[in-house]
Amino acid sequence: MNAPVQAPATSIGPPLWLLAEITYRCPLHCAFCYNPTDFAATTEELGTEDWLRVLREARAAGSVQCAFSGGEPLARDDLEVLVAEARRLGFYTNLLTSGVGLTEARAAALKEAGLDHIQLSFQDSTRELNDFLSHTRTFDLKRRVAAMIKANGWPMVMNCVIHRLNIDYIENIIDMAVELGAEYLELANSQYYSWALLNRDQLLPSREQIERAERITNERRQRYGDRIRIFFVVPDYYETRPKKCMNGWGSVFLTVTPDGTALPCHTAKMLPGLSFPNVREMGVREIWYDSEGFNRFRGDDWMQEPCRSCPEKEKDRGGCRCQAFMLAGDAAAPDPVCDKSSAHHVVLEAVERAQRPVQPVAKEAPLIFRGPAESRRLIEQGRKSLAVD
Amino acid sequence: MSEAASIVATAKPRVSARFRLQWEEAQQSWVLLYPEGMVKLNASAGEIMKRCDGSRSVDELVAELEQAFDTRGLHADVASFLDMARAQHWIEV
């Protein structure tokens, strides 16, 4: 393959969005987590000084939205220091959290640091599904955290990952968000990467489930009017054109993982044959404009047919590179969600399997829950299969 | 937009607490920031919004713009922008 064509720096916009994944540590075990399944291999987290430098470099390169994510970002005790520096630099600072670990004292410290916004996720990990749906422990935690968010004057966005096992309770989820006083609710269907891909058959809803959920969401929008804005994201497996993933590779998003790897999206590390720079060794500006990894899928020289001559190619940029790799075995192939893709049948087969009757969780194949032990097992399994090859 | 909903000349608009207005050097423009999002303002929108700090009436704001850009007759355009900005919750009066 030819060396990637270096687009002139002027045609590439700044990395407006910085996703700072400050840790993979997390008290939860979500079966749909997008963190890499081999996350347990990361042992050396970037230190405070490194993160402060990354924030300064990214801001100087034009980043303006900064999301602190993970893992559970509250697992790091220097979060307040990082938020304060980000805010001082002029970032709009977002904290993406499950709320686990948010005490009154930490909330006050984050307010003092200038944190602009908290996105609170429902911690339904499907292992705790019954608890989640019966509004007991989860509801108590969310109520406590929601009250802290309100008391500190932050806008509240609630986010709930939707899947086959909870989608039939969408009315409960919406009503809970309203009761907790959320201004925005994101009902985001699980996307099938990493842990969610391992559990895809157990998580992908049927068409009937999705239609019902959309209908109920619309009814609730009518009922609640201005009190809450509800976003409902359909799983892309049910679409015939792919999403414009990350608004285009290397177009606005820059992810920095806990070990300092810089990625054009949070799952791109899975792509073989691509090297991604580390912020320990390269500055953010050079990473964004000059590195091989970030230039690999810019422009359209990399595109194959039918993408290259497709009239819609700028609309979706060929979809998601990770999905192309996972489902078609080639990161440069069209995203198989597209019905023009020769691998579209892979998506159709998964959708077909999802039309089976919905059964109680216990009757389905067991879910693989995210966790360090499971991650190490998957790493070992990967090593063995390589040895066999 | 109906006349009744239009902003009055004596109102003193200010950027809504839901948004943060700031100049972005890298984009050479004023932007409105909000949870996980950004509105990039064009040059004239930026000139109007940066003056929405609750200290100026619409009339004063228009007079200031007309002086700064050595022109006249901006009132209708500014008022219509402010109506839209209020509908978007960018400003409060």
Side-chain angles (χ1 to χ4, degrees):
Chain A
M1 184 154 300
N2 295 326
V5 177
Q6 203 86 347
T10 47
S11 72
I12 303 167
L16 297 175
W17 249 104
L18 173 65
L19 178 66
E21 290 186 327
I22 57 178
T23 183
Y24 283 142
R25 284 173 286 149
C26 186
L28 307 182
H29 303 278
C30 301
F32 45 74
C33 183
Y34 71 73
N35 282 169
T37 53
D38 65 355
F39 76 86
T42 294
T43 48
E44 290 261 320
E45 286 185 358
L46 282 184
T48 310
E49 287 307 315
D50 277 327
W51 274 116
L52 292 173
R53 181 176 48 78
V54 168
L55 291 171
R56 288 178 201 124
E57 289 177 1
R59 183 70 186 127
S63 297
V64 61
Q65 282 283 350
C66 176
F68 292 96
S69 179
E72 172 50 66
L74 287 162
R76 275 186 76 129
D77 59 13
D78 58 356
L79 175 64
E80 291 82 346
V81 176
L82 303 181
V83 168
E85 179 65 1
R87 183 62 188 82
R88 192 190 67 77
L89 290 164
F91 275 107
Y92 191 90
T93 50
N94 307 273
L95 173 63
L96 277 48
T97 178
S98 66
V100 178
L102 189 65
T103 58
E104 297 273 357
R106 290 202 83 179
L110 286 164
K111 187 68 187 178
E112 177 68 28
L115 180 67
D116 291 294
H117 154 241
I118 294 184
Q119 186 205 90
L120 180 61
S121 65
F122 284 89
Q123 70 171 20
D124 150 43
S125 69
T126 61
R127 179 176 278 170
E128 295 90 4
L129 188 71
N130 288 327
D131 168 56
F132 168 70
L133 296 170
S134 63
H135 293 193
T136 54
R137 228 174 36 188
T138 303
F139 193 62
D140 287 344
L141 169 76
K142 299 306 164 188
R143 198 200 315 263
R144 217 163 50 239
V145 173
M148 277 186 237
I149 293 174
K150 290 269 158 190
N152 283 287
W154 281 307
M156 181 162 44
V157 177
M158 296 202 101
N159 177 290
C160 186
V161 174
I162 300 297
H163 48 73
R164 187 179 180 91
L165 303 169
N166 68 7
I167 193 167
D168 292 333
Y169 302 92
I170 203 149
E171 51 271 61
N172 305 37
I173 296 167
I174 297 172
D175 293 347
M176 184 197 285
V178 170
E179 196 182 330
L180 295 175
E183 280 105 0
Y184 303 89
L185 173 62
E186 296 172 359
L187 299 167
N189 264 280
S190 176
Q191 303 210 50
Y192 298 99
Y193 300 88
S194 310
W195 298 87
L197 183 66
L198 294 175
N199 294 306
R200 186 179 63 194
D201 280 354
Q202 296 96 312
L203 296 178
L204 186 63
S206 70
R207 185 169 279 112
E208 200 184 333
Q209 285 184 298
I210 292 170
E211 284 168 2
R212 177 187 175 277
E214 282 193 291
R215 194 181 67 242
I216 287 175
T217 301
N218 283 328
E219 285 169 14
R220 288 298 199 271
R221 282 188 183 123
Q222 294 284 323
R223 179 188 300 181
Y224 293 123
D226 270 353
R227 281 177 71 187
I228 190 164
R229 282 194 70 187
I230 308 174
F231 302 92
F232 184 91
V233 185
V234 174
D236 63 352
Y237 276 49
Y238 281 91
E239 307 281 2
T240 51
R241 287 290 177 274
K243 57 184 179 273
K244 188 180 187 182
C245 200
M246 310 315 285
N247 199 47
W249 182 275
S251 126
V252 290
F253 287 96
L254 168 65
T255 297
V256 179
T257 65
D259 72 353
T261 308
L263 301 172
C265 91
H266 40 270
T267 58
K269 210 173 178 178
M270 72 166 80
L271 301 175
L274 262 183
S275 68
F276 292 106
N278 193 294
V279 295
R280 297 179 210 254
E281 285 132 31
M282 200 185 280
V284 167
R285 189 175 289 274
E286 191 183 352
I287 286 171
W288 183 254
Y289 291 104
D290 303 331
S291 71
E292 186 225 344
F294 278 77
N295 279 304
R296 179 65 182 84
F297 298 113
R298 281 179 173 145
D300 56 14
D301 285 350
W302 59 272
M303 282 184 186
Q304 303 172 355
E305 290 299 346
C307 290
R308 190 186 279 248
S309 59
C310 181
E312 295 171 77
K313 70 178 172 186
E314 284 311 317
K315 207 167 141 192
D316 56 38
R317 303 281 310 142
C320 171
R321 297 304 90 227
C322 299
Q323 198 141 268
F325 167 65
M326 292 185 298
L327 305 183
D330 180 354
D335 185 332
V337 158
C338 185
D339 65 8
K340 296 181 185 179
S341 156
S342 58
H344 186 56
H345 64 95
V346 179
V347 172
L348 291 181
E349 284 156 17
V351 166
E352 185 56 39
R353 284 195 298 279
Q355 308 316 311
R356 71 189 184 279
V358 176
Q359 306 186 84
V361 184
K363 294 204 170 177
E364 290 277 346
L367 287 157
I368 298 172
F369 292 103
R370 174 222 152 102
E374 192 58 44
S375 174
R376 283 189 290 271
R377 190 186 68 77
L378 289 164
I379 294 167
E380 191 54 33
Q381 198 179 47
R383 276 203 201 102
K384 278 184 191 147
S385 74
L386 278 181
V388 173
D389 291 348
Chain B
M1 194 161 292
S2 72
E3 276 305 305
S6 287
I7 195 160
V8 293
T10 52
K12 294 183 172 178
R14 64 176 176 278
V15 175
S16 152
R18 296 197 210 179
F19 291 89
R20 196 163 94 215
L21 177 74
Q22 74 185 31
W23 171 256
E24 278 302 291
E25 196 61 33
Q27 301 177 61
Q28 287 295 301
S29 65
W30 289 87
V31 299
L32 283 168
L33 300 169
Y34 58 96
E36 297 169 64
M38 180 180 78
V39 179
K40 183 173 175 173
L41 300 171
N42 66 24
S44 39
E47 288 298 331
I48 300 172
M49 287 296 291
K50 77 177 189 189
R51 290 173 170 84
C52 292
D53 60 2
S55 76
R56 302 169 178 82
S57 68
V58 176
D59 274 350
E60 288 162 346
L61 197 155
V62 170
E64 209 180 296
L65 285 169
E66 289 178 344
Q67 192 180 18
F69 294 95
D70 195 19
T71 185
R72 302 193 62 180
L74 292 181
H75 196 283
D77 284 348
V78 172
S80 117
F81 172 82
L82 291 174
D83 286 340
M84 183 279 293
R86 190 167 55 165
Q88 299 286 331
H89 303 289
W90 295 351
I91 57 166
E92 298 160 345
V93 290

